[in-house]
């Protein structure tokens, strides 16, 4: 929805409003119709019925009057006939009204009520006929009045009662309908009022929303336009300014050109000197290159010597390790001897036990065993002695192992210390020599580079002189260009003026649009600014013209001086080959 | 009187030796008839025999020896020339003496016909001048007769090459057995070690040495074997003495008295057998009057039989007495508080009640038996010998006690069990079964300890470590083994860590310093040369839970 | 068996720092420490059973019995003693020598308060400033006192 176009939005909103009005209109129409139907019912049904009933009542009352007159005394026959005639007429009239009533659609109790009325009517008619009959038969006054008064009165009361009932009912019905219609009217009124309020409010809201968004959008457009106009004015002003600057620049350019020509002389001299120096440098660099190569050779042989030292150092370590291994094997042998000594100890123990056992046996043998006992004891002594000896051996072995191990450990640590120190020293030497060689390598490389560069300088110098000539030529061309520049700036000033005019026009247009959009008296600051700028541009215009006028003489001056730098340039180069204009090297230098 | 028998036995052994010696001399005499020293020697031997035979009361042998001696005297006096025929006669005489001795050694009252040989002597004694021709004939006849007679008297083959024997002290045999045991152990070690060697010759030799070792072991074991005869004769005497004391006429019959048995077993067997025989005479056989009343032969009959059966020795003591009444036994047991009232037992279990401590069916105490001690000791003693005693009885017909014993006590089949790092041996005869338990079958009942549910049977279970007071980390129930023992009336079982194997073990008695140590019947040296104790399981379980049995030391 | 009664020979051995001796005739033989199988229900000085060439013999530790702190050395040995009728192995720290003291070198039993010790020490032999206690092994081991074993038996029953 947000993205929908303004048009779509408007169509949709108004469509909604129209739909709403249509719905409310239909609602009102319906209620009006309801009210009308109520009134129509009252006028076309209830009222005629009531009227008919009222008529019937009136006619009946009249007929009753005529009936009563029948029995009245003192009436002439004429009068009596008239009375009878009137009675008949009113009775006919009643019949007519009754028929009329019947012609209306009957509903509810009306039918039964009417039947009752008809019954009462017939009764009345009978009583009238009876009265007439009696009268014609000259019945007594009492009898007549008896009939009229007693019978008819009863009928009359009933009839009246019924008629009143019917009337009441009809009235009540009419009253309800009226009340209904009244309510409907009130409701419709409320409804109409609400729809009016809602319609006007929503229309107001929609209008406000649309006007707001439209104004906002237009405002943006106008502001953009005014900004563009502003920018245009500024641009025009700038263009005017530029034109001025350009003409000024052209003047300055001409002056600079002169100075350049003077500098070029100096440059030529410098270039010459440079070429000489370059030649000398090449000789030196060649010589230094030679000595550097020699230095490098010396360093290489030094590294080789250090490597040899290192390898012999390693050899020493290896030899040391070998001798350590030898010593270790000696230690192993010693501990093996120790193990064997343990076995000897065990044997000595067993021998000792054996000698005791021999002593025991000897003791058992008693006197005979005495000699043997001595032998056994001797064996025991020998065993003890050998036990002691083996214990001593064990101690000695333990000591010697400890000593050997200590010696080995000490020698090892010492030699290792020396070797490690030597290794460190050798490593330092090697590193230094390596660095030295590296430095030499770098020097060789640098010297080579210098030689190349010197050569390049020579080449460059010759090229420089060539370049200077090129510069002179370029100067000439530059003079032409400067002139052209002056003309062009003049032209641009003119077009800037034109641009300012267009900007004013645009501003007017924008202002008009703003008035349309924002209404009268709405005046933004932006257009004023444009106006100011425009006046500035107009003021600048004569100045520009002045600048342009001063450009011309400088231009001429330059044209006169042009010959001199060209000659000196030729001298500098010394008639050496000049590289073509499109030589790629030209650009490089 | 008992010594008399012993003397006779000893005499007979000596006589056997003498006969062998003389025979050798006669043979020499034949080749060197003029050597007077030989004849002198023969004469001395014969004289010795005569004297000894008279001393121990072998009349027939003495008489025959006398005749023989006088015949020899004639030869010595050179009244007769030493001719081959004479030597024949001498040899025949000598053989006959051997026959007599053989017969006597089975029956002291044995009579061997000697008339034929006597006749030979008479003929040979006649001077050679007299009818040489005639002498030849009867001589042949006599030899023929002799052969016939020899068959008739049923001379055992051994009679022709009589057993040579030497008397060796038991201690020496004991020592030999120790060393043989050690040899067997070393042999197993050697077998193990040689199985690793590549040297086929060595392995072969080791195998052969193994065979020899087995043989040596068997022979050394057999050195301890002695015949039952002496014990049986003692029993015979006891039957005679006891029956005369009780005024019962009893016929005693013995079979298989030559059956051999380990000497140590035999020594321990004497007392139980005496008890059983006395019991048979006293309780088993009824008085003569009662027997007649019951329609049995007046003279009672007791038979003692010994025989080998399935590597075991069986001794049966059978009487034709009244038999055992199971119901009466149960009633008695309940009266004596040995059984709880209302107990019901199978017939066999009921018969076993007579082995219960403090049970005696005889109401009055006699000199012979009925003191209420005895039968329980009999059973204990026999079980200590790794043996078993069973009763077969029929009411009114008789009772047989069947004692089954291992042939030797020195070697038993043992089950080596492990408890942590300890090893013990249980005699296999004590093990009824061994099973790996299902932990849910082991129940702890407060006051009773642990109960093992063996297929519905609730058996009290004891852990060997707690029984022996060995502290150790408990193992899972399902890692151990339960050993069921049924040597007592009430079975029980023992929980051990593992069974290491079954092997024949040589029993070593514990030293005197350990005699009071209960629960171990001895020790054995296992395959690795280390000793292990032999468990007497019924001695280490708490006494309160099994039927009490008197200690062996408690009675004579 | 005609022993020179004036010159009885003894086997001397060490228990801890002390030197003891027993009559040589009591000794059957001496051996290195064998493997032993412990025996339940025995006092702590009963080390167990050993196999001496097919004979099963109890091994006792005399040091524990006499309350002497044992020293562990390779010299530990077992003296097989013949204390009729029992053969026992007795562990000692080391066996020293066979000595045959002259009668004047022997002094009688010391009069000490320790009744128990004086019970088994029979003589004291003074040899080059060194004292050798001659003991009665049977008494020292309370051989007649089997109550020690049955006592432990009772302990077991109680447990």
């Amino acid at each position: 929805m947000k993205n929908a176009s303004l048009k779509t939005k408007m169509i949709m909103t108004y469509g909604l409003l129209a739909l709403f009005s249509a719905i409310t209109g239909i609602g009102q129409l319906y209620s009006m119709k309801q009210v009308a139907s109520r009134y129509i019912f009252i006028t076309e049904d209830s009222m005629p019925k009531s009227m008919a009933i009222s008529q019937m009542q009136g006619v009946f009352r009249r007929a009753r009057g005529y009936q009563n007159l029948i029995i009245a005394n003192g009436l002439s026959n004429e009068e009596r006939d008239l009375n009878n005639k009137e009675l008949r007429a009113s009775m006919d009239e009643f019949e007519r009204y009754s028929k009329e009533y019947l012609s209306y659609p009957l509903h509810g109790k009306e039918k039964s009520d009417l039947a009752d009325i008809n019954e009462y009517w017939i009764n009345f008619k009978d009583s009238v006929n009876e009265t007439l009959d009696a009268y014609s038969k000259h019945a007594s006054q009492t009898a007549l009045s008896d009939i009229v008064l007693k019978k008819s009165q009863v009928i009359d009361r009933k009839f009246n009662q019924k008629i009143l009932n019917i009337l009441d009912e009809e009235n009540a019905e009419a009253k309800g309908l009226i009340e209904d219609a009244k309510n409907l009217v009130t409701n419709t009124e409320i409804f109409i009022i609400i729809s009016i309020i809602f319609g006007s409010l929503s229309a107001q809201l929609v209008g406000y929303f649309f006007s707001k968004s439209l104004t906002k959008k237009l405002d943006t457009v106008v502001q953009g336009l005014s900004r563009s106009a502003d920018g245009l004015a500024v641009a025009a002003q700038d263009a005017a300014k530029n034109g001025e600057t350009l003409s000024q620049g052209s003047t300055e350019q001409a002056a600079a050109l002169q100075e350049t020509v003077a500098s070029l002389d100096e440059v030529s001299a410098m270039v010459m000197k440079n070429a000489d120096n370059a030649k000398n440098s090449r000789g030196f660099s060649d010589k230094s290159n030679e000595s550097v190569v020699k230095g490098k050779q010396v360093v290489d042989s030094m590294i080789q010597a250090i490597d040899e030292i290192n390898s012999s150092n390693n050899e020493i370590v290896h030899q040391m390790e070998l001798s350590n291994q030898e010593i270790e094997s000696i230690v192993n042998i010693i501990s093996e001897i120790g193990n064997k000594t343990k076995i000897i100890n065990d044997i000595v123990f067993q021998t000792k036990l054996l000698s005791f056992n021999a002593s025991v046996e000897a003791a058992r043998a008693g006197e005979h065993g005495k000699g043997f006992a001595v032998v056994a004891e001797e064996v025991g002594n020998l065993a003890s002695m050998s036990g002691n000896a083996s214990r001593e051996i064990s101690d000695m072995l333990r000591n010697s192992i400890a000593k050997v191990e200590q010696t080995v450990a000490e020698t090892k640590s010492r030699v290792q210390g020396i070797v490690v120190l030597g290794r460190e020293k050798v490593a330092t030497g090697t590193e230094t020599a390596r660095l030295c060689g590296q430095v030499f390598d770098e020097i060789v490389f640098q010297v080579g580079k210098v030689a190349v560069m010197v050569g390049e300088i020579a080449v460059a110098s010759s090229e420089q002189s060539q370049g200077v000539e090129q510069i002179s030529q370029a100067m000439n061309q530059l003079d032409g260009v400067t002139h052209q520049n002056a003309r062009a700036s003049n032209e641009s000033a003119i077009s800037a003026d034109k641009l300012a005019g267009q900007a004013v026009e645009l501003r007017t247009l924008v202002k008009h649009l703003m008035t349309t959009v924002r209404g009268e008296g709405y005046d933004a600051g932006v257009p004023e600014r444009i106006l100011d700028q425009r006046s500035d541009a107009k003021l600048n215009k004569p100045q520009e013209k002045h600048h342009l006028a001063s450009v011309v003489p400088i231009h001429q001056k330059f044209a006169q001086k042009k010959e001199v730098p060209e000659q000196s340039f030729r001298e500098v180069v010394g008639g050496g080959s000049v590289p073509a204009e499109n030589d790629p090297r030209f650009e490089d230098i | 009187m008992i010594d008399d028998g012993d003397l006779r036995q000893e005499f007979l052994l000596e006589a056997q030796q003498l006969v062998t010696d003389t025979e050798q001399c006669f043979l020499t005499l034949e080749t060197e008839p003029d050597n007077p020293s030989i004849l002198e020697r023969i004469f001395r031997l014969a004289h010795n025999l005569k004297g000894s035979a008279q001393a121990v009361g072998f009349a027939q042998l003495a008489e025959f020896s006398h005749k023989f001696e006088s015949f020899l005297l004639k030869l010595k006096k050179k009244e007769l020339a030493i001719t081959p025929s004479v030597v024949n006669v001498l040899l025949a005489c000598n053989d006959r003496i051997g026959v007599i001795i053989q017969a006597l050694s089975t029956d002291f009252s044995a009579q061997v016909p000697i008339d034929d040989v006597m006749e030979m002597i008479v003929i040979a004694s006649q001077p050679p001048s007299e009818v040489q021709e005639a002498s030849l004939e009867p001589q042949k006849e006599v030899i023929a007769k002799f052969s016939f007679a020899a068959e008739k008297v049923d001379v055992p083959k051994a009679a022709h090459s009589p057993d040579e024997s030497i008397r060796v002290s038991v201690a020496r045999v004991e020592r030999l057995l120790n060393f043989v045991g050690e040899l067997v152990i070393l042999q197993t070690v050697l077998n193990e070690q040689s199985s690793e060697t590549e040297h086929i010759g060595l392995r072969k030799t080791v195998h052969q040495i193994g065979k020899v070792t087995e043989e040596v072991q068997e022979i050394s074991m057999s050195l301890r074997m002695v015949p039952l005869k002496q014990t049986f004769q003692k029993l015979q005497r006891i039957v005679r003495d006891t029956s005369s004391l009780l005024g019962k006429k009893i016929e005693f019959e013995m079979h298989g008295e030559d059956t051999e048995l380990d000497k140590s077993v035999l020594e321990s067997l004497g007392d139980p057998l005496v008890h059983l025989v006395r019991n048979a005479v006293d309780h088993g056989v009824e008085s003569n009057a009662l027997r007649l009343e019951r329609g049995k032969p007046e003279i009672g009959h007791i038979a003692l039989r010994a025989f080998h059966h399935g590597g075991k020795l069986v001794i049966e003591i059978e009487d034709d007495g009244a038999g055992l009444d199971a119901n009466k036994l149960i009633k008695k047991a309940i009266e004596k508080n040995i059984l709880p009232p209302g107990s019901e037992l199978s017939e066999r279990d009921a018969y076993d009640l007579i082995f219960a401590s403090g049970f005696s069916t005889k109401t009055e105490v006699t000199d012979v038996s009925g003191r209420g001690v005895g039968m329980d000791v009999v059973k204990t003693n026999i079980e200590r010998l790794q043996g078993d005693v069973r009763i077969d009885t029929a009411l009114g017909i008789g009772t047989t006690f069947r004692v089954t014993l291992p042939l030797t006590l020195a070697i038993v089949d043992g089950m080596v069990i492990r408890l942590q790092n300890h090893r013990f041996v249980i005699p296999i005869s004590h093990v009824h079964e061994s099973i790996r338990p299902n932990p849910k079958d082991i129940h702890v009942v407060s006051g009773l300890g642990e109960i093992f549910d063996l297929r519905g049977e609730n058996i009290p279970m004891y852990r060997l470590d707690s029984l022996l007071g060995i502290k150790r980390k408990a193992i899972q129930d399902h890692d151990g083994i339960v050993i069921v023992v049924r040597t007592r009336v009430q079975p029980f079982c023992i929980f051990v860590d593992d069974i290491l194997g079954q092997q024949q073990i040589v029993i070593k008695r514990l030293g005197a310093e350990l005699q009071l140590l209960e629960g171990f019947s001895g020790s054995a040296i296992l395959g690795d040369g280390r000793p292990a104790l032999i468990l007497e399981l019924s001695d280490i379980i708490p006494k309160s839970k099994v039927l009490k049995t008197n200690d062996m030391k408690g009675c004579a | 068996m005609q022993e020179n009664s004036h010159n009885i020979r003894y086997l001397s051995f060490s228990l801890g720092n002390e030197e003891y001796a027993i009559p040589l005739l009591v000794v059957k033989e001496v051996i290195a420490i064998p493997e032993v199988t412990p025996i339940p229900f025995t006092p702590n000085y009963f080390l167990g059973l050993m196999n001496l060439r097919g004979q099963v013999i109890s091994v006792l530790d005399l040091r524990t019995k006499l309350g002497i702190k044992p020293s562990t050395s390779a010299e530990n040995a077992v003296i097989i003693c013949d204390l009729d009728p029992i053969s026992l192995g007795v562990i000692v720290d080391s066996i020293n020598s066979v000595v045959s003291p002259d009668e004047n070198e022997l002094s009688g039993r010391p009069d000490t308060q320790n009744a128990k010790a004086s019970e088994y020490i029979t003589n004291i032999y003074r040899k080059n400033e060194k004292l050798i206690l001659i003991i009665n092994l049977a008494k020292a081991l309370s051989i007649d006192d089997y109550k020690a074993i049955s006592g432990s038996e009772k302990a077991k029953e109680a447990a």
Side-chain angles (χ1 to χ4, degrees), chain A residues 243-254 479 481-490 544-558:
Chain A
E244 196 189 343
T245 322
L246 205 59
S247 53
Q248 221 167 18
S250 297
T251 321
E252 279 162 21
Q253 225 171 14
D479 184 42
V481 172
T482 312
H483 197 73
Q484 273 177 356
N485 273 358
R487 211 165 41 224
S489 62
N490 202 9
E544 253 176 283
K545 273 183 181 164
H546 170 74
H547 284 312
L548 275 169
S550 65
V551 170
V552 181
I554 296 161
H555 177 59
Q556 280 165 349
K557 251 196 259 170
F558 184 72

Side-chain angles (χ1 to χ4, degrees), chain B residues 192-255:
Chain B
E192 265 174 43
Q193 285 172 349
S194 69
S195 66
E196 288 160 18
T197 180
E198 299 286 307
H199 200 300
I200 294 166
L202 178 64
R203 274 154 77 170
K204 221 167 145 185
T205 314
V206 167
H207 186 70
Q208 281 168 345
I209 290 177
K211 292 263 178 202
V212 175
T213 310
E214 269 172 43
E215 201 79 12
V216 169
Q217 191 189 15
E218 213 167 289
I219 292 167
S220 356
M221 291 302 168
S222 72
L223 289 183
R224 298 169 56 99
M225 305 299 259
V226 289
L228 275 166
K229 192 176 278 171
Q230 218 168 321
T231 312
F232 272 29
Q233 280 161 1
K234 191 173 140 195
L235 292 173
Q236 186 178 23
R237 181 64 187 273
I238 283 163
V239 170
R240 209 179 67 209
D241 291 356
T242 314
S243 57
S244 62
L245 192 71
L246 293 168
K248 290 180 183 175
K249 277 187 195 161
I250 289 170
E251 188 181 67
F252 186 64
E253 185 190 342
M254 290 193 298
H255 300 280

Side-chain angles (χ1 to χ4, degrees), chain B residues 182 467 508 513 518 529-531, chain C residues 36-37 41 51 54 58 86 149:
Chain B
E182 191 79 344
L467 285 176
K508 314 271 176 184
E513 75 279 6
E518 263 188 46
R530 289 185 58 178
Chain C
V36 294
T37 303
F41 312 134
N51 170 14
S58 299
I86 304 167
I149 303 166

Side-chain angles (χ1 to χ4, degrees), chain B residues 439-452:
Chain B
K440 71 177 198 302
D441 289 338
I442 297 172
H443 308 285
V444 180
V445 180
S446 54
L448 283 174
E450 284 179 300
I451 300 290
F452 181 66

